[in-house]
Amino acid sequence: MEEYKLHVLHVLEAKLGISLPTEDDSAPVAVARRRSSGTAVDLHRRTTVGSILRASPISIDLCLNMLLANRDAINRLSVFTEAPPDMRLRKLAQEAIESVFCILLQSIGNHTRPAFARIVAELKQLEKTAMISMVSQEGRHAAAASASGAPGDHTSAASHAAAGGGGSAYSAQLIQAEKELREKFTAVELRFFELIHLCDLTVQMLEIYYKKDMCAFINESDFLNICNQEKKALEHAIDDNVAIGMDCVIEIILRQTQHILDTEQHSSDYHPDSNTSLTLTPTMACARAVQFLSESTAVLQCMTTQKQMRDVFLGEIGVRLFNVLLDNIKRFQITEPGGFQLIADLNLYYDWAVAIVDPETLRFFTALKDLANCFILAPKDLRGFLRDQYSRHTFDGVMRSEEVYDVVACRADYRAIRSQVEGHCDFM
């Protein structure tokens, strides 16, 4: 993609390389130069530069040829801008040049807008499909829980559904449906980031044209000029569409991650039987969630060269993932052996975050990993541990006091030790 972008910009610069007339040129020479330059462009501007992206969401060929045709029209109009300053013709020519450039900006906007609308519609449909899958799974768990007489235990309900008649067939169908959904999501995600690349390339082409030719007729610092306003409007429209698409992509990634944790994280993971030996390796749910997150974010890292956009995108995924993990922890009663298992899971999430997110977002995973130690401490040490964490400002800007309390209350023995903790810490 980068080689293609450089090729297109090289072609554009070559076609715009003919300089505008200087003040020393006479009118006949200027007219002859513009006519000769227009002919040269007509001979070569039909060269296809988008042949390697035939299925692309927008046509770079179309945008390039619209730009070159616009340059030809402005070159013809620019002849009249050399009229004496007191002539009305000169003012009309200036207004016509600005109108022609605005038409180019509006035409490119009309070309890119439907492409974003189609991609965003597909992403929203996938987002809805992911939500339906989650609701359907929760409904099956609730029905199975009612049948088994354990309405509050999602894990035992899932086990009951899997062990019952048709459980293996359902599991096979579920795995196949998830696989198809992820393959479709990856394809749409790739097309979305390709569209971002092509729109970025189109904006770069416009910027080169604007700097090279239009600044001779337009004051770049005049924010009231209609051309500058239209140019800003196009850039903002593209940015808004990118933001909407990015939000859909993030939401799908997080919903799928939550779906993995809801369906594969068992209560026995963090509340094992007394005769169960600890392996201190991440649980299957954690490993699958991290694998899915790595695959989804790898697409972004491969397709996005703009570091700022990549950091914002990954940072948002990190913050939302933190909230998903926090909610996942609150679902379980965690024993001391389960606390060691939880720490093993959080270490894997942390390792993923170290390679992906920025240091500010990494604080969320660090705080959660530190807080998980509350499950492996003796009750008499818990109050001092929490006081120490607050003195080091571990949770500042990361978790509210109520959220810290909710996590601590997930200890399996919390009812027995409640009086030793509550009333002795600042947040309680």
Side-chain angles (χ1 to χ4, degrees):
M1 179 63 75
E2 286 303 307
E3 293 180 358
Y4 173 70
K5 290 171 69 174
L6 291 174
H7 168 67
V8 173
L9 295 177
H10 176 73
V11 171
L12 176 63
E13 290 175 348
K15 291 180 181 296
L16 298 181
I18 303 171
S19 60
L20 292 174
T22 62
E23 296 179 356
D24 297 333
D25 290 332
S26 60
V29 172
V31 172
R33 179 179 294 180
R34 290 192 184 92
R35 287 177 178 173
S36 63
S37 65
T39 304
V41 170
D42 288 338
L43 289 174
H44 299 287
R45 75 181 181 197
R46 301 304 175 190
T47 302
T48 302
V49 295
S51 58
I52 65 171
L53 295 172
R54 295 179 184 179
S56 61
I58 63 174
S59 172
I60 292 297
D61 282 336
L62 177 61
C63 294
L64 179 60
N65 285 306
M66 282 196 298
L67 189 150
L68 295 174
N70 188 268
R71 200 277 293 263
D72 289 349
I74 287 178
N75 276 346
R76 291 191 293 270
L77 288 169
S78 64
V79 175
F80 301 102
T81 62
E82 298 171 359
D86 57 343
M87 289 188 63
R88 187 167 179 266
L89 177 63
R90 181 165 181 165
K91 181 180 179 181
L92 292 175
Q94 177 67 26
E95 293 175 352
I97 288 173
E98 293 179 359
S99 297
V100 168
F101 184 65
C102 288
I103 290 172
L104 170 65
L105 298 173
Q106 293 165 3
S107 300
I108 290 178
N110 292 336
H111 181 51
T112 58
R113 194 179 303 112
F116 273 112
R118 288 191 296 269
I119 293 288
V120 169
E122 290 185 52
L123 288 171
K124 287 187 178 294
Q125 183 61 38
L126 286 173
E127 185 179 335
K128 188 184 300 183
T129 303
M131 177 57 73
I132 291 173
S133 175
M134 290 174 61
V135 172
S136 176
Q137 184 68 18
E138 289 174 358
R140 288 186 174 91
H141 282 175
S146 299
S148 64
D153 190 350
H154 287 250
T155 302
S156 60
S159 301
H160 179 82
S168 60
Y170 167 69
S171 299
Q173 292 176 357
L174 178 63
I175 292 173
Q176 183 63 26
E178 287 182 354
K179 182 179 178 182
E180 292 176 357
L181 179 62
R182 290 176 189 177
E183 288 177 351
K184 188 174 182 181
F185 168 62
T186 300
V188 177
E189 187 183 17
L190 283 170
R191 287 195 291 115
F192 173 66
F193 287 118
E194 180 185 280
L195 177 58
I196 294 177
H197 271 292
L198 295 177
C199 286
D200 180 61
L201 175 57
T202 303
V203 171
Q204 289 184 50
M205 290 165 54
L206 281 172
E207 190 66 26
I208 291 173
Y209 173 50
Y210 178 80
K211 296 283 188 181
K212 184 78 176 176
D213 287 343
M214 293 308 302
C215 283
F217 309 103
I218 300 170
N219 183 4
E220 186 177 0
S221 60
D222 183 7
F223 63 92
L224 295 177
N225 184 276
I226 186 63
C227 295
N228 292 330
Q229 291 179 354
E230 286 288 346
K231 183 170 173 286
K232 286 292 184 184
L234 175 62
E235 293 170 353
H236 289 161
I238 291 176
D239 289 342
D240 290 344
N241 284 317
V242 169
I244 293 172
M246 284 287 197
D247 185 70
C248 290
V249 170
I250 294 173
E251 192 64 26
I252 293 172
I253 291 174
L254 269 297
R255 283 184 179 179
Q256 279 296 296
T257 304
Q258 183 178 346
H259 177 67
I260 292 171
L261 295 176
D262 288 345
T263 55
E264 299 191 27
Q265 192 85 76
H266 307 306
S267 60
S268 58
D269 291 340
Y270 302 137
H271 199 306
D273 296 333
S274 57
N275 57 354
T276 302
S277 60
L278 291 177
T279 59
L280 296 184
T281 58
T283 60
M284 183 62 69
C286 173
R288 285 202 61 196
V290 171
Q291 180 184 1
F292 173 70
L293 288 166
S294 299
E295 292 173 355
S296 301
T297 53
V299 174
L300 171 69
Q301 291 177 302
C302 292
M303 294 294 294
T304 306
T305 57
Q306 297 181 358
K307 186 178 184 302
Q308 183 179 6
M309 185 180 73
R310 182 170 64 245
D311 290 346
V312 170
F313 182 83
L314 295 175
E316 185 64 22
I317 290 180
V319 172
R320 296 194 195 184
L321 175 62
F322 167 81
N323 291 321
V324 169
L325 296 178
L326 198 59
D327 291 338
N328 185 58
I329 292 173
K330 294 175 185 177
R331 293 167 50 214
F332 302 104
Q333 293 294 306
I334 303 172
T335 61
E336 182 179 345
F340 285 103
Q341 184 62 69
L342 174 62
I343 291 173
D345 282 0
L346 292 177
N347 282 336
L348 186 59
Y349 290 120
Y350 179 83
D351 292 340
W352 171 84
V354 167
I356 295 295
V357 302
D358 58 278
E360 184 62 27
T361 307
L362 189 62
R363 289 183 58 244
F364 288 79
F365 294 89
T366 304
L368 191 58
K369 191 173 67 166
D370 290 344
L371 181 58
N373 289 302
C374 72
F375 297 107
I376 63 175
L377 293 173
K380 62 184 179 62
D381 298 325
L382 186 57
R383 186 175 61 186
F385 165 76
L386 294 172
R387 183 182 293 114
D388 180 63
Q389 292 298 314
Y390 268 90
S391 65
R392 291 192 288 131
H393 305 284
T394 302
F395 309 123
D396 289 1
V398 175
M399 301 172 67
R400 300 191 310 273
S401 298
E402 295 81 2
E403 291 174 324
V404 175
Y405 171 79
D406 290 340
V407 172
V408 175
C410 290
R411 283 182 60 123
D413 61 349
Y414 186 73
R415 287 186 179 181
I417 67 169
R418 185 173 183 174
S419 59
Q420 301 179 42
V421 180
E422 290 189 7
H424 296 283
C425 296
D426 293 338
F427 65 92
M428 295 187 178

